[in-house]
Amino acid sequence: TFPLALDVGSGRGYIAQHLTKETVEKLIQVDIAENALKNAVESEIPTVNVVADEEFLPFKEDTFDLVVSSLSLHWVNDLPRAFREIHQVLKPDGVFIGAMFGGDTLYELRCSLQLAELEREGGFSPHVSPFTAVSDLGHLLSRAGFNTLTVDTDEIQVNYPGLFEVMEDLQGKYILYGNLFCMGESNCSWNRKPLLHRETMLAAAAIYREMYGNSDGSVPATFQIYYMIGWKFHESQARPAQRGSATVSFGDLAKIDGLLSRRKK
């Protein structure tokens, strides 16, 4: 049971709907979008909504037993700072559990747009928000102070009639995959082009279907999700044994069954 938990980038409170009083006694929901918090969905646990930036959390050090974040950290400008802020507000032996979009998210859309722009306009600019590579994530969490890290990846593929339907969903509507996530996304890059020419869009749609199209005529959109767990240090936590303290050599691992049976006798 976590007496006090924090949801960073809570949106309308999607995580709170899946928490119970037996797990979390009180939840603070933080998001930079005030309208999202005003329209937060009710939950069975007591919640408090706070408008704040993930990079500048307005809480004292060692406040929360649990911090969660679901699919919002890809919007953060300074991800290392956000991780440090999360680590700071956690109590010793507190845990951070998060999920964020990974580097292969929407690679079909990105590649199609880039090839179309190169062909029609002689160059390309980013049209999809940048994402973090999984090889960097563990390092960022460790540098922020987290230990006993767990990082995992998953890929979700959603099929659409074509490129235009993919972009329409990303910009204005919701993509629903069970209860895992819902989103209304557009590109957050400051250096993006304000618009795409009609000829470029038509070329991108043709490239998308040719390179990635399914046999039934639909096209896939891939969402890569990183799942992460990190703990704030406490004296009670298990630690690795000192270097050189092992009593069995790696060379003896092939004989492990025999060693164990002898020990039992």
Side-chain angles (χ1 to χ4, degrees), residues 146 184 204:
F146 292 100

Side-chain angles (χ1 to χ4, degrees), residues 189-252:
S189 300
W190 285 106
N191 60 341
R192 68 187 186 275
K193 290 176 63 175
L195 56 87
L196 281 166
H197 295 105
R198 181 174 180 273
E199 294 79 7
T200 303
M201 290 289 294
L202 292 172
I207 292 170
Y208 203 139
R209 193 175 301 279
E210 180 67 25
M211 291 183 63
Y212 306 107
N214 299 314
S215 58
D216 62 358
S218 64
V219 297
T222 298
F223 299 90
Q224 185 180 45
I225 314 295
Y226 298 155
Y227 300 99
M228 65 202 99
I229 301 174
W231 297 78
K232 189 168 182 176
F233 176 76
H234 188 269
E235 290 291 339
S236 64
Q237 293 173 348
R239 304 182 196 179
Q242 290 185 353
R243 184 182 294 272
S245 63
T247 58
V248 178
S249 168
F250 277 116
D252 296 329

Side-chain angles (χ1 to χ4, degrees), residues 83 86-87 90 96 141-142 144-149 230-232:
F83 283 152
I86 291 171
H87 182 269
L90 271 174
F96 167 55
L141 290 167
S142 179
F146 292 100
N147 60 16
T148 319
L149 298 174
W231 297 78
K232 189 168 182 176

Side-chain angles (χ1 to χ4, degrees), residues 1-255:
T1 301
F2 300 96
L4 185 61
L6 173 68
D7 182 359
V8 176
S10 62
R12 296 181 58 222
Y14 303 110
I15 290 182
Q17 299 173 51
H18 303 282
L19 299 177
T20 63
K21 293 179 180 178
E22 291 75 26
T23 305
V24 174
E25 294 178 359
K26 185 176 182 180
L27 178 69
I28 310 296
Q29 299 183 138
V30 168
D31 201 287
I32 199 170
E34 185 176 0
N35 286 337
L37 290 175
K38 285 181 178 178
N39 295 294
V41 181
E42 292 186 6
S43 66
E44 69 172 61
I45 60 174
T47 59
V48 176
N49 298 332
V50 178
V51 178
D53 191 334
E54 295 90 340
E55 300 172 33
F56 303 94
L57 295 176
F59 307 106
K60 294 181 179 179
E61 189 174 354
D62 302 340
T63 298
F64 297 97
D65 305 279
L66 165 70
V67 176
V68 294
S69 180
S70 180
L71 303 180
S72 66
L73 290 175
H74 65 290
W75 283 101
V76 174
N77 291 312
D78 189 347
L79 189 58
R81 182 188 178 98
F83 283 152
R84 290 196 300 270
E85 288 285 299
I86 291 171
H87 182 269
Q88 180 172 306
V89 301
L90 271 174
K91 292 180 179 178
D93 202 33
V95 62
F96 167 55
I97 304 175
M100 65 182 295
F101 288 113
D104 287 341
T105 296
L106 298 174
Y107 72 87
E108 304 98 339
L109 176 62
R110 284 184 287 171
C111 185
S112 300
L113 289 172
Q114 288 175 5
L115 290 174
E117 278 194 292
L118 281 171
E119 178 193 357
R120 298 302 172 96
E121 302 179 30
F124 66 87
S125 64
H127 294 284
V128 177
S129 300
F131 300 106
T132 304
V134 68
S135 57
D136 297 328
L137 190 56
H139 174 67
L140 291 174
L141 290 167
S142 179
R143 197 171 72 176
F146 292 100
N147 60 16
T148 319
L149 298 174
T150 301
V151 177
D152 199 2
T153 65
D154 190 17
E155 287 190 359
I156 298 168
Q157 197 172 83
V158 182
N159 293 320
Y160 291 89
L163 175 141
F164 297 104
E165 287 79 9
V166 174
M167 298 187 71
E168 181 183 9
D169 258 358
L170 290 173
Q171 291 174 350
K173 293 186 177 180
Y174 290 108
I175 301 169
L176 300 176
Y177 188 87
N179 287 321
L180 184 59
F181 70 98
C182 47
M183 57 189 286
E185 297 279 329
S186 59
N187 182 10
C188 67
S189 300
W190 285 106
N191 60 341
R192 68 187 186 275
K193 290 176 63 175
L195 56 87
L196 281 166
H197 295 105
R198 181 174 180 273
E199 294 79 7
T200 303
M201 290 289 294
L202 292 172
I207 292 170
Y208 203 139
R209 193 175 301 279
E210 180 67 25
M211 291 183 63
Y212 306 107
N214 299 314
S215 58
D216 62 358
S218 64
V219 297
T222 298
F223 299 90
Q224 185 180 45
I225 314 295
Y226 298 155
Y227 300 99
M228 65 202 99
I229 301 174
W231 297 78
K232 189 168 182 176
F233 176 76
H234 188 269
E235 290 291 339
S236 64
Q237 293 173 348
R239 304 182 196 179
Q242 290 185 353
R243 184 182 294 272
S245 63
T247 58
V248 178
S249 168
F250 277 116
D252 296 329
L253 289 179
K255 312 169 190 175

